[in-house]
Amino acid sequence: MEPATPRPPGDDVDAGIPRVEELESPSALRTTVWRAVLIALAGLSLYVFAPSLVEVYSSWDTLVHLQPWWLIAIFGFQVASFAGIWTLQHIALRATSWFPVITSQLAGNAFSRVVPGGAAAGVALQMRMLTKAGVNTTTAASSLTAVSLLTTGTVFALPVLALPAMIAGTPVRGPLLTAVLLGFVVFVLLAVVGTWLMRSDPPLLAVGRAVQATRNRLTSREPIADLPHRLVEERNIVRRTLGARKRDAILATIGRSLFDYLSLLAALAAVGANPNPSLVLLAFVTALVLGMIPITPGGLGFVEAGLTATLSLAGIGAPEAILATGAYRLASFWLPLPAGLVAWILFRVRVGRPVDA
């Protein structure tokens, strides 16, 4: 019997089928284990937060009894908040058309909220859509990175602005009017501080040194020594990406957070709550930070439990806090999901299927 003639590597009938050793490689195992851990943590978190979720979302039938203009205000502020992120991404991408920017952001945002730890998946989908629409991959990556740095930095800067109002003990009189006036003041302060930090190194280095010193004192882990310079490097990435429209980008970033905050204040006013807006600002920031926890989709459970608890600490009654949280999450979390699906379908009809989507 003649020995079998070896076949060329490309002629294997099972070509393309992963080999056992590939499936058992350390990187593949790590990926599988990490995904399993994320799913387990998500399930456990949703189980732990189930009472809060039931409380918040069982209140939705009450929303139909709210005054319609308050619901319009809640949803209108959310639309304005999304318009802020669209404007920011449009500037960063130097795009000529709004369609791929808006549809890719809505689709990526929705996708990130339906899978555990989905922020990276949402960004990946948005990048594929932008690439399909003709945006250079490197440009898309650097632009979305700059946008992420700006928006995240704004979130963590917001609590500082609540301190003067807390010291003064500012009450709310005429809920929406006061909220808008306070929001305008916050907007101006953030614009001034943001422009200063974008143009000057010394204040950013001082912030970095203060944060670095605090972190090194409060933890026993290995001290860090390069945080101030890392902040400057990241700021420079943002400046290079945004080019000559840095001021417009800062205003869009602030507007995104401001209108989101006003949406929460409108929800509180709709249920008859009369809180101190500075304390609500802290509750709002808490909700945003909890939403960044990459365990459950969009911080589901974490945000509902954390927001109702912090609103209660701000002096709002439990029933009002639960109903306001339900109204706010309906506008900020749930309605963008079908909007993202519609945006993805429209993108496919007009541009085509995103690569590898």
Side-chain angles (χ1 to χ4, degrees):
M1 180 180 295
E2 295 182 3
T5 303
R7 287 176 294 187
D11 290 345
D12 287 349
V13 294
D14 59 347
I17 300 176
R19 301 179 184 278
V20 174
E21 58 269 23
E22 291 174 350
L23 292 174
E24 295 179 351
S25 66
S27 59
L29 285 175
R30 280 195 298 270
T31 301
T32 302
V33 169
W34 176 240
R35 288 176 179 171
V37 169
L38 275 180
I39 293 173
L41 286 175
L44 178 61
S45 300
L46 291 175
Y47 174 78
V48 170
F49 292 122
S52 297
L53 290 170
V54 170
E55 277 188 335
V56 169
Y57 296 120
S58 63
S59 67
W60 274 4
D61 58 344
T62 312
L63 295 180
V64 296
H65 301 296
L66 298 179
Q67 297 292 343
W69 51 80
W70 283 123
L71 294 176
I72 293 172
I74 295 169
F75 298 130
F77 284 138
Q78 279 299 320
V79 172
S81 177
F82 272 87
I85 195 68
W86 299 333
T87 302
L88 180 59
Q89 291 190 355
H90 188 266
I91 293 171
L93 289 164
R94 297 178 175 84
T96 56
S97 172
W98 284 91
F99 180 81
V101 176
I102 294 175
T103 53
S104 66
Q105 192 280 327
L106 284 173
N109 174 71
F111 188 59
S112 70
R113 299 183 183 203
V114 296
V115 293
V123 171
L125 175 60
Q126 184 175 8
M127 283 193 59
R128 289 198 295 270
M129 293 176 71
L130 290 171
T131 302
K132 180 68 176 180
V135 178
N136 179 272
T137 303
T138 302
T139 300
S142 61
S143 300
L144 295 181
T145 298
V147 168
S148 177
L149 290 171
L150 269 176
T151 53
T152 303
T154 301
V155 169
F156 288 103
L158 286 173
V160 177
L161 300 175
L163 294 178
M166 288 178 63
I167 294 172
T170 306
V172 174
R173 295 187 178 88
L176 191 57
L177 176 60
T178 304
V180 172
L181 291 176
L182 177 68
F184 177 75
V185 173
V186 171
F187 184 87
V188 171
L189 288 175
L190 274 177
V192 171
V193 173
T195 302
W196 186 32
L197 292 175
M198 286 289 285
R199 293 184 174 181
S200 180
D201 288 355
L204 194 59
L205 290 170
V207 170
R209 284 192 292 267
V211 173
Q212 176 177 279
T214 303
R215 182 266 184 194
N216 290 340
R217 281 197 299 267
L218 295 178
T219 182
S220 58
R221 289 181 292 178
E222 183 179 355
I224 57 175
D226 60 342
L227 180 60
H229 297 289
R230 277 164 44 199
L231 287 178
V232 172
E233 289 174 2
E234 291 183 347
R235 191 277 314 276
N236 291 341
I237 292 174
V238 173
R239 286 202 312 195
R240 286 195 299 270
T241 303
L242 299 179
R245 300 189 62 188
K246 291 186 285 292
R247 185 191 308 174
D248 294 340
I250 291 172
L251 297 180
T253 306
I254 297 167
R256 174 185 178 272
S257 296
L258 168 66
F259 287 116
D260 195 9
Y261 167 59
L262 290 177
S263 179
L264 177 58
L265 282 178
L268 289 166
V271 301
N274 196 36
N276 184 319
S278 58
L279 296 180
V280 175
L281 179 59
L282 295 180
F284 168 70
V285 174
T286 300
L288 292 183
V289 174
L290 290 172
M292 296 177 186
I293 298 176
I295 295 178
T296 60
L300 186 64
F302 286 92
V303 174
E304 286 78 2
L307 187 55
T308 52
T310 50
L311 288 176
S312 297
L313 291 175
I316 301 167
E320 291 81 9
I322 291 171
L323 184 56
T325 298
Y328 171 72
R329 287 292 275 174
L330 173 63
S332 64
F333 180 85
W334 292 103
L335 289 185
L337 295 182
L341 177 60
V342 171
W344 187 74
I345 293 173
L346 291 176
F347 184 91
R348 286 197 59 184
V349 170
R350 179 167 170 176
V351 180
R353 185 181 180 89
V355 180
D356 297 331

